Coordinates of all heavy atoms in Angstrom, one line a residue:
V214 N 48.8 -41.6 89.0 CA 50.2 -41.2 88.5 C 50.7 -40.2 89.5 O 50.1 -39.1 89.7 CB 50.2 -40.8 87.1 CG1 51.7 -40.3 86.8 CG2 49.8 -41.8 86.2
D215 N 51.8 -40.2 90.1 CA 52.5 -39.3 90.8 C 53.5 -38.5 89.9 O 54.6 -39.0 89.6 CB 53.3 -39.8 92.0 CG 53.9 -38.8 93.0 OD1 54.1 -37.5 92.4 OD2 54.3 -39.0 94.0
V216 N 52.9 -37.3 89.4 CA 53.9 -36.7 88.3 C 55.1 -36.1 89.0 O 56.1 -35.8 88.2 CB 52.9 -35.7 87.6 CG1 51.9 -36.4 86.7 CG2 52.3 -34.6 88.5
K217 N 55.0 -35.8 90.3 CA 56.2 -35.2 90.8 C 57.4 -36.3 90.8 O 58.6 -35.9 90.5 CB 56.0 -34.8 92.4 CG 57.2 -34.3 93.0 CD 56.9 -34.0 94.5 CE 58.2 -33.6 95.2 NZ 58.0 -33.3 96.5
E218 N 57.0 -37.5 91.1 CA 57.9 -38.6 91.0 C 58.5 -38.8 89.6 O 59.6 -39.1 89.4 CB 57.3 -39.7 91.7 CG 58.2 -41.1 91.7 CD 59.4 -40.9 92.5 OE1 59.5 -40.2 93.6 OE2 60.5 -41.6 92.2
Q219 N 57.5 -38.7 88.6 CA 58.0 -39.0 87.3 C 58.8 -38.0 86.6 O 59.7 -38.4 85.9 CB 56.5 -39.2 86.4 CG 56.7 -39.5 85.0 CD 57.3 -40.8 84.8 OE1 56.7 -41.8 85.4 NE2 58.3 -41.0 84.1
Y220 N 58.5 -36.6 87.1 CA 59.1 -35.6 86.2 C 60.1 -34.8 87.0 O 60.9 -34.1 86.4 CB 58.1 -34.7 85.4 CG 57.1 -35.5 84.5 CD1 55.8 -35.9 85.0 CD2 57.4 -35.6 83.2 CE1 55.1 -36.6 84.1 CE2 56.7 -36.4 82.4 CZ 55.5 -36.8 82.8 OH 54.6 -37.4 81.9
F221 N 59.8 -34.6 88.2 CA 60.5 -33.5 88.9 C 61.4 -33.9 90.0 O 61.1 -35.1 90.7 CB 59.5 -32.6 89.5 CG 58.6 -31.9 88.5 CD1 57.2 -32.3 88.5 CD2 59.0 -31.1 87.6 CE1 56.3 -31.8 87.5 CE2 58.1 -30.6 86.6 CZ 56.8 -30.8 86.6
T222 N 62.3 -33.1 90.5 CA 63.1 -33.2 91.7 C 62.3 -32.5 92.9 O 61.2 -31.8 92.6 CB 64.4 -32.6 91.6 OG1 64.3 -31.1 91.4 CG2 65.3 -33.2 90.5
D223 N 62.8 -32.5 94.0 CA 62.1 -31.7 95.2 C 62.1 -30.2 95.0 O 61.3 -29.4 95.7 CB 62.8 -32.1 96.4 CG 62.5 -33.4 97.0 OD1 61.5 -33.9 96.6 OD2 63.2 -33.9 98.0
A224 N 62.9 -29.7 93.9 CA 62.8 -28.4 93.6 C 61.6 -27.8 93.1 O 61.2 -26.7 93.2 CB 63.8 -27.9 92.6
I225 N 60.6 -28.8 92.7 CA 59.2 -28.4 92.3 C 58.4 -27.8 93.4 O 57.4 -27.2 93.3 CB 58.5 -29.6 91.7 CG1 57.3 -29.1 90.9 CG2 58.2 -30.6 92.7 CD1 57.5 -28.3 89.7
N226 N 58.9 -28.1 94.7 CA 58.3 -27.6 95.9 C 58.2 -26.1 95.8 O 57.4 -25.5 96.7 CB 58.9 -28.1 97.2 CG 58.7 -29.6 97.4 OD1 57.8 -30.2 96.8 ND2 59.6 -30.2 98.1
E227 N 59.1 -25.4 95.1 CA 59.1 -24.0 95.0 C 58.1 -23.4 94.0 O 58.0 -22.2 93.9 CB 60.5 -23.5 94.7 CG 61.6 -23.9 95.7 CD 61.3 -23.4 97.0 OE1 60.9 -22.2 97.2 OE2 61.5 -24.2 98.0
F228 N 57.5 -24.3 93.3 CA 56.5 -23.9 92.3 C 55.4 -23.2 93.0 O 54.8 -23.7 94.0 CB 55.9 -25.1 91.6 CG 55.0 -24.8 90.5 CD1 55.4 -24.3 89.3 CD2 53.6 -25.1 90.7 CE1 54.4 -24.0 88.3 CE2 52.7 -24.8 89.6 CZ 53.3 -24.2 88.4
S229 N 55.0 -22.0 92.4 CA 54.3 -21.0 93.4 C 52.8 -21.0 93.0 O 52.1 -20.2 93.5 CB 54.8 -19.6 93.1 OG 54.7 -19.2 91.8
E230 N 52.3 -21.9 92.2 CA 51.0 -21.9 91.7 C 50.2 -23.3 91.8 O 50.8 -24.2 92.0 CB 50.9 -21.4 90.2 CG 51.5 -20.1 89.9 CD 51.7 -19.9 88.3 OE1 50.6 -19.8 87.8 OE2 52.7 -19.8 87.9
T231 N 48.9 -23.2 91.5 CA 48.3 -24.5 91.0 C 48.0 -24.2 89.6 O 48.2 -23.1 89.0 CB 46.9 -24.6 91.8 OG1 46.0 -23.7 91.4 CG2 47.0 -24.6 93.3
L232 N 47.7 -25.2 89.0 CA 47.6 -25.2 87.5 C 46.2 -24.8 87.1 O 45.7 -25.0 85.9 CB 48.0 -26.5 86.7 CG 49.5 -26.8 86.9 CD1 49.9 -28.1 86.6 CD2 50.2 -25.7 86.2
L233 N 45.4 -24.3 88.0 CA 44.0 -23.6 87.7 C 44.2 -22.2 87.1 O 43.3 -21.7 86.4 CB 43.2 -23.6 89.0 CG 41.7 -23.4 88.8 CD1 41.1 -24.3 87.8 CD2 40.9 -23.3 90.2
G234 N 45.4 -21.6 87.5 CA 45.6 -20.3 87.0 C 46.1 -19.4 88.2 O 45.7 -19.8 89.3
F235 N 46.9 -18.4 87.9 CA 47.5 -17.6 89.1 C 46.4 -16.9 89.8 O 46.4 -16.9 91.1 CB 48.5 -16.6 88.4 CG 49.3 -15.9 89.6 CD1 49.9 -16.5 90.5 CD2 49.3 -14.4 89.5 CE1 50.6 -15.7 91.5 CE2 49.9 -13.7 90.5 CZ 50.5 -14.4 91.5
A236 N 45.5 -16.3 89.1 CA 44.5 -15.5 89.9 C 43.7 -16.6 90.7 O 43.3 -16.1 92.0 CB 43.6 -14.8 88.9
M237 N 43.2 -17.6 90.2 CA 42.5 -18.6 90.9 C 43.4 -19.2 92.0 O 42.8 -19.4 93.1 CB 42.0 -19.7 90.1 CG 40.9 -19.2 89.0 SD 39.5 -18.5 89.8 CE 38.8 -19.9 90.6
H238 N 44.6 -19.3 91.8 CA 45.5 -19.9 92.9 C 45.5 -18.9 94.1 O 45.4 -19.3 95.1 CB 46.9 -20.1 92.3 CG 47.9 -20.1 93.3 ND1 48.3 -21.3 94.0 CD2 48.9 -19.2 93.8 CE1 49.2 -21.0 94.9 NE2 49.6 -19.8 94.8
R239 N 45.6 -17.6 93.7 CA 45.7 -16.5 94.8 C 44.4 -16.7 95.8 O 44.4 -16.5 97.0 CB 45.8 -15.1 94.3 CG 47.2 -14.9 93.6 CD 47.2 -13.7 92.9 NE 46.7 -12.5 93.6 CZ 46.3 -11.3 93.1 NH1 46.2 -11.2 91.8 NH2 46.0 -10.3 93.8
K240 N 43.2 -16.8 95.0 CA 41.9 -16.9 95.7 C 42.0 -18.1 96.6 O 41.5 -18.1 97.8 CB 40.9 -16.9 94.7 CG 39.5 -16.9 95.4 CD 38.4 -16.9 94.4 CE 37.0 -17.0 95.0 NZ 35.9 -17.0 94.0
A241 N 42.5 -19.2 96.1 CA 42.5 -20.5 96.8 C 43.4 -20.5 97.9 O 43.1 -21.0 99.1 CB 42.9 -21.6 95.9
V242 N 44.6 -19.8 97.8 CA 45.5 -19.6 99.0 C 45.0 -18.8 100.0 O 45.0 -19.1 101.2 CB 46.8 -19.0 98.4 CG1 47.7 -18.6 99.6 CG2 47.6 -19.9 97.6

Side-chain angles (χ1 to χ4, degrees):
V214 175
D215 184 340
V216 292
K217 177 181 176 182
E218 179 65 26
Q219 180 68 52
Y220 298 96
F221 303 111
T222 67
D223 284 343
I225 195 63
N226 295 336
E227 299 301 317
F228 185 73
S229 63
E230 305 173 61
T231 70
L232 293 171
L233 191 60
F235 183 57
M237 293 300 294
H238 163 78
R239 289 168 57 198
K240 182 177 179 181
V242 169

